[in-house]
Amino acid sequence: FSFIAGITFWRLKDLRPAFRGGWLLGTLILAGVISTWYIPAYLANGQVFVKEFLIDQNIGRFTGGDAAHSIGIAGLLIFPIVIFLGFVPWSGWLPKAWWNSFKSDDRTEVFCGIWAAVVFVFFTISGAKLVHYILPAFPPLAFLLARRLNNPESAYLLGGKALCVGMAIFANVAMMFWYTGSGQFEAHAAMRWIKSQHPGELDVSVYKMGRQESDRGTGSTQLRETSLPSLVMVLGQPLRDTESLAEVARTKVMLTRKGRMTPERMREAESLGVHLILQEGLTKPGNFEVYLVDRGSLRL
């Protein structure tokens, strides 16, 4: 915010008189809105909040302390790619629209160009890179792109419209392949089966669904295993996302990835007085497993 305001103040000389009034009130309103979360978070967590959130998760990530999301010099290419893909099929018009904003006589276009540039540069030089970091640059870029496409001299005709339709079809087909290939379709189908067999309130656990290997996969395009939080939406009620069989023992049904329930873990469950009953052939192609939890002699 400070960088955007400062550069705008320097670039748009005719706006400088306006900075003598409303900017102070606006800054106070911004600080007040932010404080409604920061102050309660600090009061609840004290120095843990300062260290973990402000220092480790903000300053630490920016300076490259987050090894899981830092990929070195190659990271300079991430956000140009994200912006290009994010504005498909209009990406071809974006570079000129953005560049022209810095030379425009329209103060709104200049401001939007500065806004997007500050966000882009700030997160490009950041040590850690996540796709969503660049999203604050999308609103001003969308405005600039809309202005350019609204210009009769650059408006796209039949070819551009055909490209839009083609990309929409491609995006939907790609989403369908990803949905099935990533295993989400299979996991959702298993959860729908659980819901159909046990209507009403039901204690469900998902066990060791997230990535178990130590490799963070940094710089890889491979889909990583996650706990699939969308399962809550499919079930329609809270569930237990746990790494503990003792927590599983408190539920009635468990969903996990194939291979997670090793003989050692089955024996651990038995030692807790819990018998896990595998529901054979329920999921296809078989990347997940559903177990009924028999708590006949539960010992916790």
Side-chain angles (χ1 to χ4, degrees):
F1 171 78
S2 299
F3 285 128
I4 295 171
I7 296 174
T8 302
F9 181 85
W10 168 75
R11 176 67 176 78
L12 299 176
K13 297 180 180 180
D14 59 324
L15 271 183
R16 292 179 183 177
F19 275 75
R20 297 172 183 171
W23 71 271
L24 179 58
L25 177 61
T27 301
L28 292 175
I29 292 174
L30 175 64
V33 171
I34 293 174
S35 67
T36 60
W37 183 81
Y38 275 79
I39 292 177
Y42 174 75
L43 293 176
N45 301 282
Q47 290 303 311
V48 174
F49 170 74
V50 175
K51 179 182 182 302
E52 296 294 332
F53 179 73
L54 295 179
I55 297 178
D56 292 347
Q57 296 300 322
N58 283 275
I59 299 175
R61 284 196 174 198
F62 187 84
T63 56
D66 183 2
H69 302 115
S70 301
I71 57 177
I73 194 68
L76 297 177
L77 300 176
I78 288 181
F79 293 134
I81 294 173
V82 171
I83 291 174
F84 177 83
L85 293 177
F87 280 95
V88 167
W90 307 283
S91 307
W93 289 276
L94 183 58
K96 192 169 184 179
W98 195 358
W99 177 253
N100 286 346
S101 69
F102 300 114
K103 303 178 291 182
S104 175
D105 295 327
D106 187 306
R107 294 186 299 185
T108 304
E109 291 187 2
V110 175
F111 172 71
C112 285
I114 293 172
W115 174 1
V118 168
V119 173
F120 177 79
V121 172
F122 181 84
F123 287 110
T124 295
I125 64 177
S126 172
K129 302 287 193 302
L130 285 173
V131 171
H132 63 273
Y133 286 178
I134 198 64
L135 290 182
F138 274 54
L141 291 178
F143 175 85
L144 295 174
L145 188 58
R147 278 286 184 94
R148 178 152 185 84
L149 293 178
N150 193 47
N151 185 339
E153 297 180 359
S154 59
Y156 58 96
L157 301 177
L158 181 60
K161 293 178 181 179
L163 179 61
C164 290
V165 172
M167 288 304 302
I169 294 173
F170 171 79
N172 279 276
V173 171
M175 181 63 184
M176 291 173 60
F177 275 101
W178 173 83
Y179 182 54
T180 55
S182 66
Q184 295 221 27
F185 175 81
E186 182 185 349
H188 290 175
M191 193 59 72
R192 281 192 290 268
W193 179 87
I194 293 172
K195 187 176 181 179
S196 68
Q197 296 298 309
H198 304 273
E201 291 296 320
L202 177 66
D203 289 329
V204 179
S205 58
V206 289
Y207 176 66
K208 289 190 178 293
M209 291 286 281
R211 183 176 69 244
Q212 300 297 300
E213 65 273 16
S214 58
D215 175 29
R216 295 186 175 97
T218 302
S220 171
T221 58
Q222 179 183 356
L223 290 173
R224 314 301 294 183
E225 294 177 343
T226 72
S227 59
L228 299 181
S230 58
L231 292 173
V232 176
M233 177 187 67
V234 177
L235 184 62
Q237 66 180 63
L239 50 75
R240 294 176 187 258
D241 180 2
T242 181
E243 300 278 315
S244 168
L245 284 173
E247 285 293 310
V248 170
R250 300 177 185 275
T251 62
K252 295 181 179 179
V253 185
M254 178 187 74
L255 174 67
T256 189
R257 296 183 185 274
K258 185 177 181 180
R260 294 289 199 259
M261 290 310 300
T262 61
E264 292 79 9
R265 287 170 181 159
M266 293 297 289
R267 287 193 292 270
E268 180 184 348
E270 294 288 346
S271 72
L272 294 171
V274 175
H275 182 51
L276 299 178
I277 307 170
L278 175 63
Q279 305 301 288
E280 297 282 358
L282 178 59
T283 66
K284 297 179 181 180
N287 296 313
F288 297 88
E289 293 176 333
V290 176
Y291 290 83
L292 298 183
V293 182
D294 182 359
R295 301 180 290 181
S297 54
L298 177 63
R299 294 189 301 274
L300 293 177

